[in-house]
Amino acid sequence: MPLPRFRQRVLVTGASAGLGQEMARHWARQGRDLALCARRVDELERLRDELLAVTPAITVSLHPLDVTDHEAVDAAFADAAAALGGLDRVVVNAGVAGGGSLGLDQAAANRTTALTNFVGAVHQAEAALRLFRPAGAGHLVFISSMSALRGMGGSMNVYSATKAGVSALAEGARSDLAGTGVAVTAVHPGYVRTSMASHFPRMLMASDPERATRAIVAAVEREPATAYVPALPWALAAWPMRLVPLGLYRRIAG
């Protein structure tokens, strides 16, 4: 069955590595046209060449991007829309996982994490909805995290806080956009064995990137309001994670 045109043109940020790179591979195999954004242009170029070698009929446009620069985000999204003849889905994925406990000389890394993950998500959502609102169509996807459900300590402290902010941002946008034809999805992956997560102290029930990405892409295609992926175990764990006392949660998750 041919793909619906309105979800054919997909922009992914943070596409040079990790989940962003894997999502690009999945959608390329499905014949989607892609706009790939990241800071590392050399990695984007390698990925483009790989994707076109497998699926030469698609269009892949590349856009160097630091998501903390709102003017650069606006320009990259506008350029991507011009390159693909419009955008149908934007995946807010770019993120970092640096930093540590507050007050222990990790302020610079914590600030970078906050600016990239949350302020960068605001910039991306603004730019995407500037395109989607006039069209009355589009799908805005936020890649959040299971860590958004609870505050976490140590190296996860600021990271989990930023992801909680991303999830709240998605819900607020969904409320604003009700009835407009623009869909909003927040995806909450569990632990995934990527280089970004390599310093997390406890990788409970971690998935390999391929399995996690299959679950993310499948969830995105359904366009739910919220998804916990992979569903086993994370859809089952979501409510217990919210309800367990902090002291017990700390012993389990850190």
Side-chain angles (χ1 to χ4, degrees), residues 4 31 43 62 78 97 109 151 161 171 175 178 197:
E43 294 297 330
L62 305 184
E171 185 171 34
S175 177

Side-chain angles (χ1 to χ4, degrees), residues 78-243:
D79 289 348
L84 299 187
L87 295 174
D88 306 310
R89 174 177 287 147
V90 168
V91 183
V92 176
N93 170 71
V96 296
S101 297
L102 301 178
L104 295 179
D105 299 321
Q106 294 292 313
N110 286 333
R111 186 180 307 110
T112 296
T113 298
L115 288 172
T116 303
N117 294 3
F118 182 71
V119 177
V122 173
H123 293 163
Q124 293 166 74
E126 289 272 13
L129 293 178
R130 201 170 290 123
L131 298 169
F132 290 164
R133 279 183 180 273
H139 186 202
L140 179 58
V141 180
F142 293 87
I143 303 300
S144 182
S145 168
M146 291 300 297
S147 70
L149 304 187
R150 292 295 296 264
M152 302 184 73
S155 60
M156 296 286 287
N157 190 182
V158 173
Y159 178 81
S160 66
T162 64
K163 291 302 186 178
V166 166
S167 294
L169 185 67
E171 185 171 34
R174 189 180 313 115
S175 177
D176 275 347
L177 293 161
T180 67
V182 180
V184 180
T185 296
V187 181
H188 299 75
Y191 287 108
V192 183
R193 288 185 287 270
T194 64
S195 58
M196 188 178 81
S198 60
H199 72 292
F200 289 162
R202 299 179 188 177
M203 296 281 283
L204 299 175
M205 298 179 286
S207 298
D208 64 86
E210 173 64 23
R211 178 181 180 234
T213 307
R214 283 199 309 270
I216 290 169
V217 169
V220 169
E221 292 302 323
R222 293 193 300 271
E223 302 190 9
T226 304
Y228 306 106
V229 296
L232 291 175
W234 298 110
L236 297 178
W239 279 109
M241 283 179 64
R242 290 187 177 98
L243 296 174

Side-chain angles (χ1 to χ4, degrees), residues 49-83:
D49 294 346
E50 172 196 327
L51 300 181
L52 292 176
V54 175
T55 317
I58 65 173
T59 298
V60 181
S61 65
L62 305 184
H63 307 275
L65 180 60
D66 179 346
V67 298
T68 66
D69 183 339
H70 71 92
E71 292 181 352
V73 174
D74 287 346
F77 281 38
D79 289 348

